[in-house]
Amino acid sequence: MAKKKETKKEIVTEEVTQVVEQPKTVVKEKPLPTQKKDTWEIKDRTYFLKGGKKPLSYTIKSTGIHWFDEEKGYERELKYCSNQRTCFVDEMKGDQRLEHIVFRSGVLLVPREKTILQKLLSLYHPHKNKIFREFKPEVQAVNEIDWLELEIEALNTARSLDVDMAEAVMRVELGSKVSEMSSKELKRDLLLYAKRNPELFLELVNDENVVLRNFGIRATEMGILKLSSDQRTFSWGSNDRKLMNVPFDEHPYSALAAWFKTDEGMEIYSNIEKRLN
């Protein structure tokens, strides 16, 4: 009888090694510090002495001056040297050939090539906008537009004012002469005043005390009120009964205008108003 052969089955177990990839850590590079963009415009620049001064020659300081650096937190010495590429003494290298800064007939023209001098005058010099200023046509144009708009507003306001208000405003400028003017003369001078001093004119129009002062002056001129010779007391013109004392070192009609706002003053104001009308 044939024997069955036993076959051994070899079971081979493969070890599977699973490699788990670890996430890579990305190292971010630190950004380089951003440098401020130089916005300086290279062009010819003109500087004027303030106040319309025009001496034959005027020299401003080009050494021994300082500018406070907000970023560094301390004052830095300034100097204008023709052979240096900076006006800061702590950045200069080698010899320092000092140059004078001279205005001729009140004007200093600095060509575009002299950027260091321009920056010293326009940005850092302590006398900037005190002794001298840079001529900036665009700024002047904006200022002129603002002035023209203010002038138009003042003229339109002047046209719409009634006679009493016009008289009150012009009395500040002309005093008692206003009482002798015709309505046409008053209107003419009012318009001229508004054109000449638009800012002050608009302030006066919006100041209620101007009307009250004029009211008091008119009442005094017509004899309804009386102001003592020492300008310290107001009284009734008819019976000399005292109404108020003017505080020390105060204009009498300004004090009267303020008094008209009190309870007692409002009653007197109403009484005078009836007599004036």
Side-chain angles (χ1 to χ4, degrees):
M1 195 168 164
K3 291 183 179 180
K4 291 183 180 179
K5 291 182 179 181
E6 292 183 0
T7 59
K8 293 182 179 180
K9 293 183 180 180
E10 295 182 356
I11 300 173
V12 179
T13 305
E14 293 183 357
E15 292 184 359
V16 178
T17 304
Q18 186 175 6
V19 179
V20 179
E21 293 185 358
Q22 297 293 328
K24 293 180 179 179
T25 55
V26 179
V27 180
K28 293 183 178 180
E29 295 183 359
K30 291 183 179 180
L32 295 173
T34 55
Q35 295 182 344
K36 287 186 177 180
K37 186 179 180 181
D38 190 357
T39 58
W40 182 260
E41 182 181 357
I42 298 177
K43 64 178 183 179
D44 296 336
R45 295 175 189 266
T46 306
Y47 302 87
F48 291 93
L49 293 177
K50 293 195 70 177
K53 296 177 182 177
K54 297 181 180 180
L56 290 177
S57 66
Y58 186 92
T59 304
I60 65 171
K61 296 183 73 173
S62 59
T63 184
I65 51 180
H66 297 80
W67 175 75
F68 183 76
D69 192 323
E70 294 282 352
E71 292 184 356
K72 296 183 181 295
Y74 58 82
E75 281 191 338
R76 302 176 69 185
E77 186 180 356
L78 301 167
K79 187 185 292 186
Y80 176 53
C81 300
S82 59
N83 65 327
Q84 295 289 337
R85 294 184 178 181
T86 178
C87 59
F88 292 107
V89 174
D90 56 14
E91 294 178 352
M92 292 183 179
K93 298 177 181 179
D95 295 334
Q96 300 173 4
R97 291 202 293 270
L98 186 67
E99 282 280 324
H100 295 294
I101 305 174
V102 184
F103 286 73
R104 305 289 182 186
S105 299
V107 181
L108 174 60
L109 304 174
V110 183
R112 65 200 302 272
E113 295 81 12
K114 294 190 175 182
T115 307
I116 304 303
L117 177 56
Q118 289 185 357
K119 287 186 176 181
L120 173 62
L121 294 172
S122 297
L123 302 177
Y124 309 121
H125 203 288
H127 294 158
K128 177 189 69 171
N129 296 330
K130 295 177 181 177
I131 293 177
F132 67 90
R133 64 177 178 84
E134 181 183 351
F135 174 65
K136 296 181 178 181
E138 64 279 5
V139 174
Q140 184 172 342
V142 171
N143 291 339
E144 287 177 355
I145 290 172
D146 290 342
W147 180 264
L148 287 171
E149 289 177 347
L150 194 65
E151 193 176 287
I152 292 169
E153 182 184 353
L155 287 170
N156 287 334
T157 303
R159 288 183 60 188
S160 62
L161 287 186
D162 57 38
V163 176
D164 290 340
M165 188 61 186
E167 181 183 311
V169 172
M170 290 311 298
R171 193 177 291 278
V172 175
E173 176 75 2
L174 302 175
S176 59
K177 182 183 175 183
V178 171
S179 303
E180 304 170 4
M181 298 173 68
S182 67
S183 58
K184 291 288 185 182
E185 290 173 327
L186 184 62
K187 198 71 174 178
R188 177 202 62 200
D189 284 10
L190 184 72
L191 289 169
L192 290 173
Y193 183 62
K195 181 178 175 62
R196 190 169 59 249
N197 297 302
E199 190 170 6
L200 178 58
F201 171 81
L202 291 172
E203 285 180 7
L204 291 173
V205 169
N206 295 317
D207 183 1
E208 61 178 8
N209 284 339
V210 169
V211 178
L212 293 174
R213 279 199 298 269
N214 183 60
F215 182 86
I217 293 170
R218 286 178 60 203
T220 305
E221 288 178 349
M222 295 182 66
I224 300 173
L225 295 180
K226 184 188 293 184
L227 177 61
S228 61
S229 58
D230 62 358
Q231 297 195 334
R232 295 292 93 198
T233 306
F234 279 100
S235 57
W236 283 115
S238 56
N239 56 17
D240 289 334
R241 183 169 67 87
K242 187 173 74 172
L243 294 174
M244 67 160 290
N245 291 322
V246 178
F248 179 73
D249 203 23
E250 191 170 334
H251 190 280
Y253 288 105
S254 296
L256 181 62
W259 182 73
F260 279 143
K261 296 178 183 179
T262 65
D263 293 338
E264 183 184 2
M266 289 177 68
E267 292 181 10
I268 302 300
Y269 179 91
S270 299
N271 192 320
I272 297 173
E273 190 175 30
K274 292 174 183 176
R275 301 189 191 191
L276 288 176
N277 295 333

